[in-house]
Amino acid sequence: MNIFQAYLHGFKTTLHSKKMITCIYMLILILALLVSIPFLSSLKSAAGSATATEQLTSDFDFTVIQELFMYKDFSFPTHLKQAVWIMILFLFLSIFLSGGILSTLKDKAGSFKVGSFLGGSAQFFLRFLKLTFYLLLIHLLLALIIYLPFSIIVGGEMSATATEKWFFQLFMIFFGIHMVLAIFLIIVSDYSRFRIVREDTPKVLKSIWLSTRFVIGKFLQTYGLYLMLLVLPILLFYVMLIISKSFMATAGWMILLVFILQQLFIWLRMAFRIWTFSSQYEYFQYHSK
Amino acid sequence: MFFLFHMSGLYAQSTSPRIANYDIRVSLDPEEKLLDGDMVLTWKNASPDTIYELQFHMYLNAFKNTESTFWKDSGGQLRGASVNTSDPKVWGWVDISKMEILDGPDLTANMRFIHPDDDNDKDQSVMAVALNEPVYPGETLKLHIRFQSKLPRIFARTGYSGDFYLVAQWFPKIGVYEPAGMRYAEEGQWNCHQFHGNSEFYANFGVYQVDITIPSEFTVGATGMLQNKTDHEDGTKTLSYLAEDVVDFAWTASPVYMVHEDQWKDIQIRVYLQPEHFQLAGRHAHAVKAALDYFDRHLGPYPYPIISVIDPPIHAMGAGGMEYPMFITAGSIWGLPDEVRATEMVTIHEFGHNYFMGILATNEFEEAWMDEGMNSYFEARIMDHTYGEKTSFVGARAFHFGDVEYQRQSYVASGNPKVAESYRNAWEYPHGGYGTMSYNKPSTMLSTLERLVGLETMDEIMMTYFNRWKFKHPCTNDFIDIVNEVVTAHHGATFGDNMNWFFDALLYGSDVCDYQVRSIQNRKLDPPQGIHEVSGNKMTYKEIEYETTLYRSRVILDRLGEVIMPVEVLITFDNGDEVQEMWWNDQRTTEFRYERPEKIVSVQIDPKNKILVDINFQNNGKTVDPDHRGLWRLALKFLFLLQNALMDISLFT
C-alpha cells in the first residue's frame, strides 16, 4: 500500500466516522462554551444598557472595547485563566479520547458505539498518558536544544550590532529546524499509539523506540503522508481567513451565519484529525510487522 | 580685558534674537568614541541686567556614573532602554579643558559644578563660571572653549551603538538668562536646570557653524545645511554645516546609511535609513510631507530650508523618537506592516517638535506640556487627517484605532488619571506620570478645547500663538491669554468671561471629568380621576375618551468627577423626536422631565463627543433597548479561538 492509497483509505474511513467526529466536536463545543458563556455574561453586565456598545454592531471600536474591559466588575484575566484550565482539562480528555478513536478505527467491522468508544478510551488512557508525558518531555528538550544556541547568539555580542532582519532570518532557520523535528515527533507519537492499540502492549517506551525506527526506516513515506494530510487543513484555514476578512457580520442572521461557518470549520478540523489517524493507521497496519 | 563687539552686522538678517551663537570644530575618534571639540561661543547679554557669572548645561555628564541626578531619577533607563553598567565603555561625559574670553583672561579655574534643583552635589550636569569682568546689558561676550566629550552607549537619545552615532547634547551649552518679566521671572536669573530623568531641554536661539571631522566612510547628517566638504589625506573628511536661528545642533554618522531625498515646496527632505529599512523610505517621506503641509495650513510656515529624518538601527532604538532643529530621529522595524503606522506617528510627532521645541522654544524643563502636549495634539490631528480618524495609528480591519483615540485612551486608561496635574516641572511628576500628564492628557485637553470652541477658532488660537510668540520662549500664561482673547472674539461670553476655568481644571488641576446617565424612567400617566366639566355637563373622567396616552418621563444625570464642563444632552423619544438640553452648573446631579405621548428610548451625554477628557464614555449614554449584537460577535470570536486552541492541543495527543 502506498501513501496515496493510505490517504484515500483514510478519507473513506472518515466519511463513515461522522457520528464519532460529531460527538467529539460536541464535547469541544461544550468545553469552550463553559468559558464563553460566562465571558458573554460579563460583557453584557459591563455594558448594561449603555449606548456605546451599539458602535460594536457595525465595526470594531477600540475605545468601546477598552472601556468595557476596564469596567470595574469585568475581569478579562479571570476569563483567560478559565480558558487555560479548560485547555489543561482538554489535554487529559484528548489523551483519553484518542484511545477511543483508535479502538474504533481498529474495529473496522463495527460502527461507532459510545460504549465501545469509552471502553477503548479507558483501556488505553494510562498508557497514552505516559506516552504523551514522554513525548512532551522530548518536545521540551528539543525546544531547549534548538533555541538555547539561538538565545546565546541573540543575547551575545551580535545583539549590539545585528539588525532585526538578521535576527528574524536566524530565528526562521531555527524555527524551521524545530518544525521539521516537531512534526517528526508528532508522527512518532501517532505511530506509537497505533502500536500500543494493535498489540495491546503495556510497553510504552518500547513502542516509542520501535515506532521511531519505523518512521525513520520509512521516513519519506511517513513524513510525506503526514504532510499530504496537512494540505487540506491549511487550505481550509486560508479559506476561513478570506471569508472572515471579506465582510463584517452586523445583522443578527449574519452573526448566526458566521457562527455556523466557524463551527463547520471546527467540525472539519476534527474530521481531518480522524482522517490523519486513519490514513496513518492503515499505512502502519500494512507496513509494520 | 576681553574683546567685545556688538553683533549687528556680523550675520545676515535674522528671524530670532541670536543670543547664543556657536562656532564649533569637532573631530570624532570612532575607536575611543571621543569627540575633540574647540568652539567659540558668542553670547549676547540681551537683558537689562549686569551678568557676573555664566551657567552651562553639561548634559553628557548625566551619563558619567550612577551618581548623576539623571541616573538616580531614571534608574539608568529611558523608555525601556538601558545599558550594561559593568561595561566601562557605556559611560559618557563632557570635560572642558580650557575656557577663556577670546583674547582675554582664562576662566578655567572659575568653573564649578552646581546643582540648582536638588542636593546632589555629585551631579555635574550644570556648571557655573564666574566672570572676572561682568557683561553689561547689550554687550557681547566671545568665549573660547576647548572640550572633550566621551559618547555613551546609546540608551537615552545620544551616543553610539556599534558604528552608529547619534551625537546630541554633546557640547557645553550655555543656559538661558531670563530677565525680570520674561516668562515667570520676577528678577533676572539663570534658567539652567540639571539634567533629570524626565526632563528635556531649553536654550536660546543662535547661529551654529559646525565643522565635523570624521573618517571618510561615514555618511553624516546634521542640523542645518551642508556648506562645504573637504577630504583629507589621512582618510578623514571635514563637513561644514550652518544652521541659523536654532536652539540646538545634533548630528549623526554611520557607514551604512542609505539616503532617500525628497522635497516639499522648496524644503529639502533627507531620510537617512538603515539598509534593512530602506523599503520604508516612502513612508517616512510621506509622513514628513503630510506634516509640513498640515502645519503650513494650520499653524505656520516651516522657516528652515531642510528637514533630516534619521532612522536608527534596532540596537540603537534609544536614540529614536527625538527632535532637534531641522533634524529628527524616528524609528522603524523591518517588516512593519503598512497598517501599523508607528513609523509615521513618530516621524510626524518629532517633526512637529520643530515648531514647539524649535521655533516657539518653550522651556521643556518647567512646562513640558507646552511642547509634548501641544505637539501630541497636532500629531493626532495630522495622523487622523492623513490616515483616517479610526484607523490612523493601527488600521487593520479587525483591530484599528486612530491617534486622537489613542491619546485619550493613554490618558483615561493610565493606572491613575489623577496622578498629577499636567502643569509641573518635568522631573517632579510621580512615577509613570510624566508621559501621561505631559503628552496624553494635554493633547486630549486641547482636542476637547477644539471641539468645544470649534476648529476654526482653535486654528486661530494656535496660529495667533505661533505667530505672536515664535522665537520668543512663551510660557503657559502667554498661551492662555491668547485662548481667552480669541475665544472671546469669536464666541463672546458663551464660555464665560474667559477660559481660565478650563485650564484651572484640566491643566493646573488633577481632577477628572466624568458624567453619567444614571437612569431613564418612563411612567404611563393614569388618566385623571373625579368629575370634569364638558360643555356645562359634569362627567367623570372615565366617560371622556382620551385620544393619546401620556408618559411622564425623567432622565437623571450625575457628575461623578470634579471637573465641570458644559455638556450637551440628547434625548431621543420613541417616535424619533430628539430634544437637546444643556447642563453646565456645579450641581452633582440634574434631571430633565417631560410629559408627552412618547417615551424616552435613549439619552446621550455629549452626543458629538466633544468632551474627550471625560474618562468614561461607557456611562455617557443609556438606552431602554440595548443592542448587544457586537458583544455576541466578540463572545463568538472568543469561543472560536478557544475551540481552535483545544484542537491544537489535540495534535500532541
Side-chain angles (χ1 to χ4, degrees):
Chain A
M1 170 183 274
N2 61 39
I3 60 174
F4 300 100
Q5 288 168 324
Y7 183 85
L8 285 171
H9 187 273
F11 174 64
K12 285 182 197 157
T13 309
T14 305
L15 284 180
H16 290 115
S17 306
K18 290 192 282 294
K19 201 171 166 188
M20 178 170 64
I21 294 167
T22 304
C23 284
I24 300 172
Y25 155 78
M26 288 301 300
L27 176 67
I28 291 172
L29 176 62
I30 289 166
L31 285 174
L33 283 171
L34 283 177
V35 181
S36 307
I37 289 174
F39 178 67
L40 176 62
S41 296
S42 294
L43 277 176
K44 282 170 134 186
S45 172
S49 53
T51 50
T53 43
E54 287 169 4
Q55 290 169 62
L56 293 178
T57 304
S58 55
D59 196 7
F60 170 86
D61 192 300
F62 176 75
T63 296
V64 173
I65 288 180
Q66 183 158 26
E67 291 197 4
L68 263 178
F69 278 35
M70 274 166 57
Y71 181 71
K72 62 182 185 334
D73 293 336
F74 177 81
S75 171
F76 186 61
T78 303
H79 295 291
L80 272 183
K81 273 185 214 161
Q82 289 168 352
V84 168
W85 278 113
I86 289 292
M87 286 194 270
I88 292 170
L89 172 67
F90 186 73
L91 175 66
F92 291 95
L93 269 175
S94 186
I95 295 169
F96 179 78
L97 292 170
S98 56
I101 293 169
L102 288 174
S103 304
T104 305
L105 292 176
K106 182 184 168 191
D107 180 19
K108 290 181 194 180
S111 61
F112 171 73
K113 288 184 175 54
V114 174
S116 313
F117 181 91
L118 291 174
S121 297
Q123 182 182 358
F124 297 107
F125 174 65
L126 284 175
R127 281 173 275 182
F128 282 4
L129 187 64
K130 253 195 227 177
L131 172 71
T132 305
F133 175 73
Y134 291 139
L135 266 302
L136 281 178
L137 268 182
I138 298 171
H139 271 293
L140 274 170
L141 200 60
L142 177 69
L144 198 65
I145 290 167
I146 287 172
Y147 293 116
L148 187 62
F150 174 75
S151 57
I152 289 170
I153 294 169
V154 164
E157 280 303 309
M158 293 299 294
S159 67
T161 52
T163 68
E164 69 278 23
K165 180 178 177 182
W166 185 87
F167 283 129
F168 179 77
Q169 288 168 337
L170 183 69
F171 173 76
M172 288 311 288
I173 293 170
F174 281 87
F175 182 72
I177 295 168
H178 183 207
M179 282 301 103
V180 167
L181 292 173
I183 289 174
F184 172 77
L185 280 179
I186 289 171
I187 297 170
V188 165
S189 166
D190 286 349
Y191 283 100
S192 303
R193 264 174 250 277
F194 304 151
R195 190 173 292 278
I196 290 170
V197 167
R198 189 184 68 176
E199 294 162 15
D200 197 8
T201 171
K203 294 178 181 169
V204 172
L205 281 172
K206 189 178 177 186
S207 296
I208 294 172
W209 171 241
L210 290 173
S211 299
T212 305
R213 283 177 57 180
F214 177 79
V215 172
I216 290 172
K218 294 189 182 308
F219 183 77
L220 286 177
Q221 292 89 335
T222 52
Y223 213 97
L225 176 60
Y226 195 85
L227 290 180
M228 247 169 54
L229 288 160
L230 283 180
V231 169
L232 281 179
I234 291 171
L235 271 174
L236 177 68
F237 171 76
Y238 276 108
V239 167
M240 202 61 200
L241 203 62
I242 291 166
I243 292 173
S244 68
K245 281 187 171 187
S246 62
F247 69 95
M248 169 72 77
T250 51
W253 67 267
M254 286 170 85
I255 294 172
L256 181 64
L257 177 64
V258 168
F259 171 71
I260 292 168
L261 284 172
Q262 287 171 342
Q263 296 313 304
L264 182 62
F265 176 82
I266 300 295
W267 192 94
L268 283 171
R269 273 197 77 173
M270 196 61 229
F272 285 128
R273 187 87 187 105
I274 302 300
W275 188 346
T276 302
F277 261 166
S278 57
S279 296
Q280 292 183 112
Y281 187 70
E282 189 61 27
Y283 187 84
F284 170 77
Q285 285 277 74
Y286 194 87
H287 289 278
S288 164
K289 304 292 177 270
Chain B
M1 292 291 292
F2 52 88
F3 180 69
L4 299 170
F5 66 92
H6 201 276
M7 274 183 57
S8 65
L10 182 64
Y11 299 108
Q13 187 175 358
S14 65
T15 51
S16 73
R18 295 175 174 181
I19 289 174
N21 305 279
Y22 296 82
D23 192 337
I24 309 175
R25 276 144 198 61
V26 64
S27 62
L28 170 68
D29 178 349
E31 290 300 315
E32 301 299 322
K33 319 300 180 194
L34 274 177
L35 298 172
D36 202 38
D38 192 302
M39 74 184 201
V40 173
L41 164 65
T42 305
W43 182 79
K44 179 181 177 182
N45 179 6
S47 77
D49 305 325
T50 302
I51 305 299
Y52 294 93
E53 87 168 6
L54 306 175
Q55 292 187 4
F56 288 83
H57 291 287
M58 305 283 279
Y59 288 117
L60 277 184
N61 283 339
F63 308 108
K64 195 168 184 178
N65 51 48
T66 53
E67 301 292 324
S68 71
T69 289
F70 180 93
W71 208 278
K72 288 183 182 215
D73 281 358
S74 68
Q77 64 79 38
L78 188 74
R79 295 181 284 191
S82 59
V83 288
N84 176 10
T85 53
S86 61
D87 180 354
K89 287 189 255 182
V90 307
W91 305 105
W93 42 260
V94 56
D95 257 354
I96 294 177
S97 55
K98 192 181 183 73
M99 182 187 290
E100 61 186 357
I101 307 287
L102 201 63
D103 300 326
D106 193 318
L107 299 176
T108 312
N110 299 4
M111 301 187 304
R112 73 190 195 286
F113 290 111
I114 61 173
H115 43 96
D117 301 332
D118 59 18
D119 56 3
N120 181 7
D121 58 3
K122 294 195 168 56
D123 184 67
Q124 296 182 343
S125 63
V126 179
M127 173 179 282
V129 184
L131 295 168
N132 293 357
E133 298 277 344
V135 183
Y136 294 101
E139 287 186 339
T140 296
L141 185 66
K142 274 200 166 210
L143 279 172
H144 174 231
I145 301 172
R146 279 202 50 81
F147 68 95
Q148 204 175 44
S149 298
K150 161 68 175 63
L151 294 173
R153 177 86 158 77
I154 287 174
F155 77 97
R157 306 183 184 92
T158 185
Y160 76 93
S161 183
D163 57 9
F164 171 82
Y165 294 85
L166 199 301
V167 185
Q169 313 305 342
W170 53 282
F171 55 94
K173 201 165 176 202
I174 197 160
V176 176
Y177 186 83
E178 292 183 339
M182 179 177 173
R183 299 181 64 252
Y184 305 107
E186 291 178 358
E187 54 185 27
Q189 62 193 7
W190 282 100
N191 192 305
C192 193
H193 290 290
Q194 290 162 258
F195 194 9
H196 295 267
N198 271 336
S199 67
E200 291 197 345
F201 313 105
Y202 180 42
N204 282 125
F205 290 93
V207 176
Y208 286 74
Q209 295 182 113
V210 181
D211 291 349
I212 302 167
T213 300
I214 194 167
S216 298
E217 67 266 24
F218 282 89
T219 299
V220 175
T223 294
M225 297 292 287
L226 180 67
Q227 303 294 299
N228 192 41
K229 179 187 160 198
T230 307
D231 291 310
H232 306 297
E233 284 177 5
D234 61 357
T236 64
K237 61 185 176 185
T238 298
L239 303 161
S240 302
Y241 286 89
L242 174 68
E244 296 175 289
D245 305 306
V246 294
V247 294
D248 198 1
F249 186 96
W251 56 282
T252 183
S254 167
V256 302
Y257 275 137
M258 294 176 72
V259 183
H260 171 86
E261 298 194 17
D262 208 324
Q263 187 115 349
W264 183 83
K265 294 190 177 175
D266 57 354
I267 297 165
Q268 278 184 50
I269 300 169
R270 291 173 68 86
V271 187
Y272 294 77
L273 293 136
Q274 302 302 309
E276 66 275 13
H277 299 158
F278 194 71
Q279 76 278 11
L280 297 168
R283 289 175 63 171
H284 286 85
H286 181 265
V288 171
K289 285 194 272 191
L292 276 162
D293 181 68
Y294 197 92
F295 275 115
D296 192 72
R297 289 185 288 117
H298 294 279
L299 190 64
Y302 180 72
Y304 302 117
I306 189 171
I307 178 71
S308 293
V309 183
I310 311 306
D311 165 51
I314 192 92
H315 53 81
M317 274 307 228
M322 192 51 199
E323 72 277 2
Y324 310 91
M326 298 187 249
F327 180 97
I328 62 174
T329 64
S332 50
I333 301 273
W334 175 80
L336 187 70
D338 288 343
E339 298 88 351
V340 179
R341 297 191 187 89
T343 289
E344 286 83 348
M345 192 198 81
V346 75
T347 302
I348 289 170
H349 182 91
E350 302 311 330
F351 175 77
H353 274 304
N354 266 260
Y355 282 81
F356 300 102
M357 174 281 303
I359 299 168
L360 289 156
T362 52
N363 186 325
E364 295 179 285
F365 289 92
E366 296 174 1
E367 297 176 297
W369 86 271
M370 292 196 83
D371 176 47
E372 299 297 356
M374 282 197 194
N375 189 39
S376 298
Y377 162 67
F378 262 96
E379 166 219 307
R381 276 180 64 167
I382 297 169
M383 284 288 288
D384 283 8
H385 170 80
T386 310
Y387 303 108
E389 197 183 308
K390 286 286 200 178
T391 55
S392 65
F393 195 162
V394 175
R397 164 81 189 286
F399 183 81
H400 53 80
F401 55 92
D403 204 335
V404 171
E405 198 173 3
Y406 163 74
Q407 294 290 338
R408 177 182 170 272
Q409 282 304 114
S410 299
Y411 161 52
V412 307
S414 64
N416 180 4
K418 288 183 175 187
V419 71
E421 58 285 351
S422 288
Y423 185 84
R424 258 202 197 201
N425 289 328
W427 66 93
E428 289 178 341
Y429 289 105
H431 179 69
Y434 170 70
T436 308
M437 291 304 150
S438 63
Y439 289 69
N440 310 123
K441 186 181 175 187
S443 171
T444 305
M445 174 189 79
L446 291 172
S447 294
T448 301
L449 179 64
E450 173 201 310
R451 289 166 190 227
L452 283 176
V453 303
L455 183 61
E456 197 183 311
T457 304
M458 191 68 185
D459 273 358
E460 190 174 324
I461 289 169
M462 298 311 300
M463 286 193 281
T464 305
Y465 169 61
F466 180 74
N467 287 319
R468 199 176 288 178
W469 285 99
K470 57 189 177 187
F471 303 110
K472 293 178 186 169
H473 309 295
C475 65
T476 298
N477 287 349
D478 300 321
F479 176 72
I480 294 176
D481 286 345
I482 288 172
V483 173
N484 289 336
E485 175 191 321
V486 175
V487 170
T488 305
H490 277 260
H491 297 282
T494 304
F495 297 100
D497 292 337
N498 54 51
M499 297 295 288
N500 291 350
W501 58 270
F502 181 85
F503 294 99
D504 285 344
L506 295 173
L507 183 65
Y508 295 111
S510 61
D511 289 322
V512 296
C513 175
D514 185 10
Y515 286 86
Q516 80 164 1
V517 176
R518 194 204 300 178
S519 65
I520 301 171
Q521 296 165 9
N522 292 299
R523 189 164 64 85
K524 189 171 162 187
L525 284 180
D526 289 328
Q529 304 289 313
I531 308 296
H532 183 69
E533 298 274 350
V534 178
S535 305
N537 299 315
K538 288 188 175 42
M539 300 173 76
T540 63
Y541 279 105
K542 273 189 198 172
E543 293 166 318
I544 302 166
E545 285 185 14
Y546 285 86
E547 287 181 7
T548 56
T549 306
L550 281 183
Y551 292 92
R552 181 170 288 153
S553 302
R554 186 165 77 150
V555 167
I556 301 177
L557 311 178
D558 297 312
R559 177 171 61 83
L560 304 179
E562 303 306 314
V563 171
I564 300 169
M565 283 280 153
V567 290
E568 294 164 350
V569 185
L570 184 70
I571 296 150
T572 306
F573 294 86
D574 60 15
N575 67 342
D577 282 356
E578 291 179 342
V579 171
Q580 182 133 313
E581 306 280 5
M582 171 66 85
W583 178 23
W584 191 14
N585 59 42
D586 61 359
Q587 298 302 302
R588 280 289 185 187
T589 188
T590 196
E591 62 178 47
F592 298 103
R593 292 176 181 237
Y594 309 90
E595 264 186 32
R596 16 185 320 163
E598 300 87 19
K599 292 188 281 188
I600 294 174
V601 293
S602 72
V603 180
Q604 185 67 42
I605 289 173
D606 187 29
K608 294 173 196 152
N609 266 1
K610 291 181 180 180
I611 304 175
L612 295 180
V613 289
D614 189 317
I615 60 164
N616 185 356
F617 281 167
Q618 199 62 12
N619 62 9
N620 279 12
K622 252 186 165 54
T623 174
V624 299
D625 183 22
D627 182 349
H628 286 165
R629 280 175 292 172
L631 301 181
W632 272 95
R633 203 174 51 237
L634 207 57
L636 288 176
K637 200 171 270 190
F638 184 76
L639 171 76
F640 184 53
L641 284 171
L642 183 53
Q643 284 177 297
N644 276 290
L646 297 179
M647 287 303 306
D648 292 340
I649 287 170
S650 72
L651 280 176
F652 297 93
T653 58

